[in-house]
Structures are given as structure tokens and as C-alpha cells.
Amino acid sequence: MGAPSRVAQKMLDDLDSREALQDSLESFFDTRLCGPLKQGRFTWPEEVATPEARLPTESFVSLASCSVRALGFEPGPKDATVRMLFELDGVDHQGGRRSVRGEAAATLSRPRRDAWRLERLEPAWKQEVVRPEPRFVEQAESVGLVLPPEADGEAAGMQAAMNSGALAVRDFNADGRMDVLVADVRALYLLQATAPLRYERTQLKVSPPKGAWFSSLAAGDFDADGDPDVIVTTQTAWNADSRPLVLRNDKGVLTSVASKLPAANTHTSLTTDFNGDGKLDLVLIHYPMKSEPDDMLDAKDGRPPRFFLGKGDLSFEEVSPPKAERHRRWGLAAVAADLLGEGRPQVYVANDFGDNDLWRMEAEGTPRDVTDAHGLRDPGNGMSADVGDVNGDGRLDLYVANMFSKAGTRVLAAAAQVRPELKARLDKFAAGNTLYLAREGGGFEEVALARGVNRGLWAFGSIFLDADDDGRLDIAVANGFYSAPNRKDL
């Protein structure tokens, strides 16, 4: 790769200069704004802020955490305007736990090269959540929902440790209580419910092929005998294919049986009745085990998903999309639901480094990509997807976990030399999660930013649930990755 042009070099130099200034600003946020607040000093000295510039701390007695970050940053010679994101969490005057988050327009002066002073702070929006007592209490260890420590040499390496882990929650022995099957790196554990909130752990006598690890579990009644069977997929660090395991359920006993499924290096799997014939089908999704894709915004060096129609006897027939639709994606997760209101499910696949895909099984038995026809392409770092009727209109909506990057929004705001169509795509990659509401006449409307549910940070998974039993769906988002002190890392 040749040296950058003078225009490109100037843009890079300008970005480096802005980020160095941004580093000093965020150090000011951490030490001079948040530091005193977490120590119980809710009034800043004159050299830190004007008396009128205040964060909404009036409801708090103490703060356990304080975060102030810049989403937008426009520096001048001796000042800066900032679009600020703040998050405060602590105890209020009634003894309840209170969280306050929001955005504000702020102006800061720079009295010296290495100093900042907050001159103005005007909140643009604010959300408060009060919890008099914890709604959820961790009880996994006390009830037996734990795995044993991993034995030395058992793991298949760091890639396996980061890309393994799966659950299947089913009543495997038909006793009326839900059991939990867990896929660890090289072992399967059945956590059988023996009483309410009591589990006994058994390790199944199965193991993945040499050099592979267990990657996902697809549970369902694949042989139509009334109890849930399991298909266990495997993955390798060098993208070599390995055959999935098929576990037949015989009155609560899971036994490995011969599988006619082809070898496939699978990251995740999904079961649904794709063609509406009453027999469970299977989708296998691939994620390349390599350092980076051929294109960070539109990767084409992955593999297309593989679709298998179930025959109702633990055997399957593979069906393929048209050649033009065999997109070589980096697939991470999928969800099956009747998003289109057709009376049978479609499959939505969340792909990393590019576009997502909505698949529908056509009458002749061919899976077709119908994403564009329904406005659900959603480019980004797709990590997961879930479906639910969030506004109670009887139509299913779609929530996609992507990535929200504070640093990315700042850098992109300053990247004036980037051509508009590329900048729009880059902006989408840093914008966070996506919420599609189904329209009455068909199609979907994207409303995540308007509804305040885009900012899930580095979201690795998300689900709909009614967390507070009020009859309305809430959203839980699981985050991944560690943010190192160097905030220039995007």
C-alpha cells in the first residue's frame, strides 16, 4: 500500500490532533467532574465549572458510578462545544437505587492548554429509573446452575473459549420442569430440575471431533415422538468442517446416534418449521475463524447459511438458495418468526461486517432472500436479533443488536473528506442497535434512535422480555469487550 496523499494525510493528522484533545477532555470528565461526585461532593469548584452548569444529581444521596462522554466534539482555539452523554447511578433520598442517563449540549472553555472548564450544560433529554429493591437476584450457584472448573488442557484454545457456550432449555424428561442443556468447549452438561430451583448436573458421554469444540445447540422434536432431541454443532479454529452430533431423546436419556448431516463448520444453529409441513427444519450458520474479513463494511469471504428440511425421523434434506443469493456472510445469530404475517416463519440472520438477511421458504422448497423487499437489510456489525410485538398492534417487530461507538461517532463527525455514500454506511456501523416496527400495510419503520433503544454499547446479544410484569415488552442487551484506557481504539 502506497503512502497516503497529502489530503488524506492532512485528514489523518487532523483526526489525531482532535483525538489527542478529546483524550484530555475525557480525562477532565473522569477526574474533575465524576471524581468529586462519586466522593459525595456535588458542588464543583469555580475553576472546574460555573455554578449554573450542573449534572442532574439533585435526587442522589450518593453515586456509585458516573460516566460522562463526548458523542460530538467541535474544538475551537480556546473552547469546545460538546454533545455530551451522561450516566449516573446511585442511591436516592428514599434509599432506592436510581439511574439517570441522558444527553446534553455543553460548552467548555480552555483557560490553559492542559485545562478545561465547564461553562454551560443544557440537557437535551433525560431518563430516570428508580428501583426500590433489586428486581433480579443472582442464585445460579445456590440452585446448582453452574459448570465445573475447566480442566487443564481441556480448552481448544482462546478462540474456542470466546466462541463456545450455548443453552437449550427444555423439559427433557417430561416431568413438568424445565431442564437446561449446556454446551461448554468440549463437554455437554445436562442440568436436570429435581425440584423448583434445584438442579443436578450430569456430564453427557459425548465429545466433539478432534480439534473442534461445541458451538451451538438446536433442540426440538426432530423424530416426532413427543420429546425434544438435540443437534449439537461444532466449530474449528482453522475453518475445517466437522460433523454435527445428533442426540436422540429416549424418555429423558440423550443418546448420540448416527448422523447423516454433512460436515459443516457451524457457529450457530436454528430450528423451525420453515416450510409449514409440521416437521422441524434446521439452519446452520457459519462464522469464519480468522482475524479479519476481506471488507470491514461488506464482507464477502464468509459462507452462506445452509438450510435443511426435516423428514421427521432425525434425517434432513439440504436445500439451497439460488446461486445469486448464496451470500458469503459472517453469520453470528438468527431468529425465526412470522415477521411477514404469512402464517409460517421466516429466518432473519444477523451478520457481522455487513448486511443482514431475511430468508423465506418458497412454495417449491427454495429459500429466497427477501430482505430488500421488506426494508430489513440493516448494514452493520449484526450480533443478534429478537422478535416481539413491542407496541401491541398484533404485528411482530424486530430488534437487532449491532455496535454503538462513542469514539466512532466523534471521528465520523470530523471526517469531512469522506464521500457521502460511504459516510452514511460508516455512520450506520457506529449508530448502535436497530428497532424495526412493522407497518400496517407491510414493510417496517426503523425507530431505535427515536425510541431511545439504539445505544446498547458493544452489544453482543439482546432479547425482548417483560422484566417488570407490566404487560409490555422490555429489552435486555448483553455487552461484550473491554474498553481499554486508550480511547483511540474504536
Short mmCIF file of all heavy atoms in Angstrom, two decimals, residues 388-395 397 437-438 451 473:
data_model
loop_
_atom_site.label_atom_id
_atom_site.label_comp_id
_atom_site.label_asym_id
_atom_site.label_seq_id
_atom_site.Cartn_x
_atom_site.Cartn_y
_atom_site.Cartn_z
N GLY A 388 -40.62 -9.56 18.65
CA GLY A 388 -41.73 -9.42 19.59
C GLY A 388 -42.65 -8.29 19.16
O GLY A 388 -42.26 -7.43 18.37
N ASP A 389 -43.86 -8.28 19.67
CA ASP A 389 -44.81 -7.21 19.38
C ASP A 389 -44.64 -6.13 20.43
O ASP A 389 -45.30 -6.12 21.47
CB ASP A 389 -46.23 -7.77 19.39
CG ASP A 389 -47.28 -6.70 19.07
OD1 ASP A 389 -46.90 -5.57 18.72
OD2 ASP A 389 -48.48 -7.00 19.19
N VAL A 390 -43.75 -5.17 20.18
CA VAL A 390 -43.40 -4.20 21.23
C VAL A 390 -44.44 -3.10 21.40
O VAL A 390 -44.50 -2.48 22.46
CB VAL A 390 -42.02 -3.57 20.95
CG1 VAL A 390 -40.94 -4.61 21.01
CG2 VAL A 390 -41.99 -2.85 19.62
N ASN A 391 -45.26 -2.83 20.39
CA ASN A 391 -46.25 -1.76 20.53
C ASN A 391 -47.68 -2.28 20.59
O ASN A 391 -48.63 -1.50 20.52
CB ASN A 391 -46.10 -0.74 19.39
CG ASN A 391 -46.18 -1.40 18.02
OD1 ASN A 391 -46.30 -2.62 17.91
ND2 ASN A 391 -46.09 -0.60 16.97
N GLY A 392 -47.87 -3.58 20.72
CA GLY A 392 -49.18 -4.16 20.94
C GLY A 392 -50.16 -4.02 19.81
O GLY A 392 -51.38 -4.01 20.03
N ASP A 393 -49.66 -3.95 18.56
CA ASP A 393 -50.56 -3.80 17.42
C ASP A 393 -50.86 -5.12 16.72
O ASP A 393 -51.50 -5.14 15.67
CB ASP A 393 -50.00 -2.78 16.42
CG ASP A 393 -48.69 -3.23 15.80
OD1 ASP A 393 -48.18 -4.31 16.17
OD2 ASP A 393 -48.16 -2.49 14.94
N GLY A 394 -50.38 -6.23 17.29
CA GLY A 394 -50.64 -7.54 16.71
C GLY A 394 -49.66 -7.95 15.63
O GLY A 394 -49.79 -9.05 15.08
N ARG A 395 -48.69 -7.09 15.34
CA ARG A 395 -47.67 -7.42 14.32
C ARG A 395 -46.31 -7.57 14.99
O ARG A 395 -45.99 -6.85 15.94
CB ARG A 395 -47.61 -6.34 13.25
CG ARG A 395 -48.88 -6.24 12.41
CD ARG A 395 -48.73 -5.17 11.32
NE ARG A 395 -48.70 -3.83 11.89
CZ ARG A 395 -49.79 -3.10 12.11
NH1 ARG A 395 -50.99 -3.59 11.84
NH2 ARG A 395 -49.69 -1.89 12.62
N ASP A 397 -42.41 -7.22 15.57
CA ASP A 397 -41.35 -6.25 15.32
C ASP A 397 -40.00 -6.93 15.52
O ASP A 397 -39.91 -8.03 16.06
CB ASP A 397 -41.52 -5.06 16.27
CG ASP A 397 -42.94 -4.51 16.27
OD1 ASP A 397 -43.43 -4.15 15.19
OD2 ASP A 397 -43.57 -4.48 17.35
N LEU A 437 -40.24 -1.46 13.51
CA LEU A 437 -41.66 -1.65 13.81
C LEU A 437 -42.40 -2.00 12.52
O LEU A 437 -42.24 -1.33 11.50
CB LEU A 437 -42.26 -0.38 14.41
CG LEU A 437 -41.75 0.07 15.77
CD1 LEU A 437 -42.55 1.27 16.26
CD2 LEU A 437 -41.81 -1.07 16.79
N ALA A 438 -43.21 -3.06 12.59
CA ALA A 438 -43.98 -3.48 11.42
C ALA A 438 -45.10 -2.49 11.13
O ALA A 438 -45.84 -2.09 12.03
CB ALA A 438 -44.56 -4.87 11.65
N ARG A 451 -36.87 5.99 19.76
CA ARG A 451 -37.39 5.35 20.97
C ARG A 451 -36.33 5.19 22.05
O ARG A 451 -36.62 4.64 23.13
CB ARG A 451 -37.98 3.98 20.62
CG ARG A 451 -39.10 4.00 19.57
CD ARG A 451 -40.31 4.78 20.04
NE ARG A 451 -41.35 4.85 19.03
CZ ARG A 451 -42.40 4.03 18.97
NH1 ARG A 451 -42.53 3.06 19.86
NH2 ARG A 451 -43.30 4.17 18.02
N LEU A 473 -43.37 -5.32 26.61
CA LEU A 473 -42.06 -5.91 26.38
C LEU A 473 -40.95 -4.89 26.66
O LEU A 473 -41.00 -3.75 26.21
CB LEU A 473 -41.94 -6.41 24.94
CG LEU A 473 -42.69 -7.69 24.60
CD1 LEU A 473 -42.50 -8.04 23.14
CD2 LEU A 473 -42.23 -8.85 25.49
#
